[in-house]
Amino acid sequence: RAWRHEGHNFDEVYDQIDISDISKNSDNMVTAAVRHVLMNSFSSLVDIFVHYARPRQSQGMEAEGSELAVSMKQLATFVRTCRLSNENCSFFEIQRACVRPGLLLPQQEDEWSLGIYDADFRLPEFLEALIRIANLKNFGLSATCDQFNKLIHTQILPYATGDDEDRIREMTQEVKVQAVFFHQRNGLKKFFSKRMKLEKPAGARSISLKEFVDCLKASEQLDDELTPAAVKEIWLATLSFDVRPDLIGEDDTTLEVSLSEFEEIITRCVLQKSKVAEENLSNQTDLFIKRFLRSNP
């Protein structure tokens, strides 16, 4: 009998998962063990997927009737809620681990097309990402099935449906604000990709706090409210793990952020700078981004 939950057939979903690159030295028994772990928790993981997923967007808006998917913003919330990242494993690093290596960056797209850094996940891709995150986290276990089982039962099932109570983060995800980011997406992606250093051996491989402060200076957007100290607080509030403020300076070059986290940082800066009313946030965000990108090509 085919195992189904919420209209999803387990065998059909599993057939779309490919972890051959992380199980290449494993025998069929280990791969079968991963399948068994996933099947045992399939119903719960589908429910968690539905909890975070949204209809895929078109023109920056949710398209009615479109397939459900977990965007990078929702994945960041999932990672934060399940406490999957820390000072040794940023969300940026988790993003890189989420996909098959060949899909990390598209080869034929424009130079600022960021592939996985701006992707979203259907159910099979979301479940595959969980297996890959488990392999990244390792937990001191050698078998992928054991890693995956521990991730599910110690970090995902106990925490995944908890609430993110950050009101400012809720505001950054309002439909009108997200529409602004959709229309400014090419410029932001080009800016972000120019500052990515994927092969850097240490330190931030995306834009750092110091680089961002320097860009705000270049665009003359720092003032008595949006100071370098305030930008540091915003940076730390956005990260998906806690960092002691006294350990980080305003010239930090170690803490990296993802594209979705960078967009949240921008919105928090707008709120800090102008104390805007919620109904004006989208307009002020649009003006802020245009000025920022004009001064930082």
Side-chain angles (χ1 to χ4, degrees):
R1 185 175 64 89
W3 179 246
R4 302 181 67 88
H5 184 68
E6 295 289 339
H8 296 282
N9 178 285
F10 174 79
D11 290 329
E12 291 176 0
V13 170
Y14 186 77
D15 285 347
Q16 297 177 63
I17 294 174
D18 181 0
I19 55 169
S20 56
D21 58 294
I22 62 176
S23 60
K24 55 188 174 185
N25 296 321
S26 302
D27 56 32
N28 290 336
M29 288 182 63
V30 173
T31 305
V34 172
R35 184 183 187 279
H36 183 70
V37 170
L38 180 57
M39 185 170 65
N40 282 345
S41 297
F42 184 65
S43 297
S44 297
L45 293 176
V46 169
D47 288 340
I48 289 168
F49 170 79
V50 172
H51 179 78
Y52 285 93
R54 302 288 184 274
R56 278 185 155 171
Q57 292 193 342
S58 174
Q59 302 298 310
M61 308 288 283
E62 290 183 357
E64 187 175 350
S66 63
E67 189 174 16
L68 288 179
V70 173
S71 72
M72 273 302 165
K73 283 187 173 60
Q74 276 107 38
L75 188 66
T77 301
F78 170 78
V79 166
R80 184 182 297 110
T81 305
C82 293
R83 309 171 191 181
L84 297 180
S85 58
N86 55 45
E87 63 274 9
N88 298 316
C89 184
S90 67
F91 178 58
F92 188 83
E93 178 65 19
I94 286 175
Q95 280 185 307
R96 297 192 72 188
C98 277
V99 296
R100 304 162 207 171
L103 300 179
L104 186 63
L105 291 174
Q107 300 301 309
Q108 71 280 10
E109 300 286 346
D110 293 329
E111 60 176 312
W112 58 86
S113 181
L114 297 183
I116 180 58
Y117 302 102
D118 197 35
D120 55 15
F121 298 85
R122 299 172 306 119
L123 178 61
E125 295 151 355
F126 177 73
L127 297 177
E128 181 178 323
L130 297 185
I131 300 170
R132 292 176 176 279
I133 291 170
N135 184 251
L136 171 70
K137 301 288 288 182
N138 187 269
F139 302 111
L141 301 169
S142 58
T144 305
C145 56
D146 294 334
Q147 297 164 351
F148 187 34
N149 190 61
K150 181 155 186 175
L151 179 79
I152 290 172
H153 291 287
T154 65
Q155 294 196 257
I156 294 179
L157 297 186
Y159 301 117
T161 54
D163 292 326
D164 185 352
E165 297 177 352
D166 190 324
R167 174 59 185 143
I168 294 180
R169 184 169 294 118
E170 286 183 14
M171 292 173 68
T172 69
Q173 297 183 10
E174 292 289 338
V175 172
K176 288 183 179 179
V177 175
Q178 290 310 304
V180 168
F181 282 106
F182 175 82
H183 291 296
Q184 297 284 2
R185 181 57 48 87
N186 279 348
L188 286 170
K189 287 172 70 172
K190 188 173 183 179
F191 169 88
F192 191 82
S193 73
K194 280 186 174 182
R195 287 151 182 86
M196 282 175 61
K197 305 165 278 287
L198 294 183
E199 305 310 318
K200 187 178 178 181
R205 292 161 297 174
S206 65
I207 186 169
S208 68
L209 174 56
K210 181 183 184 302
E211 288 176 306
F212 184 55
V213 170
D214 288 344
C215 289
L216 291 173
K217 290 177 181 175
S219 56
E220 299 181 345
Q221 288 173 293
L222 294 176
D223 56 23
D224 291 342
E225 292 176 330
L226 189 62
T227 63
V231 174
K232 184 186 87 167
E233 290 182 10
I234 288 168
W235 197 270
L236 296 184
T238 304
L239 289 173
S240 54
F241 57 92
D242 293 332
V243 179
R244 280 178 51 187
D246 58 310
L247 298 181
I248 297 297
E250 295 153 18
D251 58 350
D252 178 74
T253 59
T254 64
L255 296 175
E256 59 196 10
V257 294
S258 67
L259 177 63
S260 58
E261 288 172 317
F262 180 61
E263 292 181 352
E264 181 179 321
I265 286 168
I266 287 176
T267 316
R268 287 179 182 270
C269 284
V270 175
L271 288 165
Q272 175 75 26
K273 183 178 176 65
S274 48
K275 309 296 184 188
V276 297
E278 187 168 346
E279 59 268 22
N280 294 326
L281 179 57
S282 58
N283 290 335
Q284 292 296 323
T285 301
D286 188 49
L287 293 171
F288 186 96
I289 294 172
K290 287 176 178 175
R291 181 172 176 178
F292 181 85
L293 293 178
R294 191 164 55 243
S295 301
N296 296 286

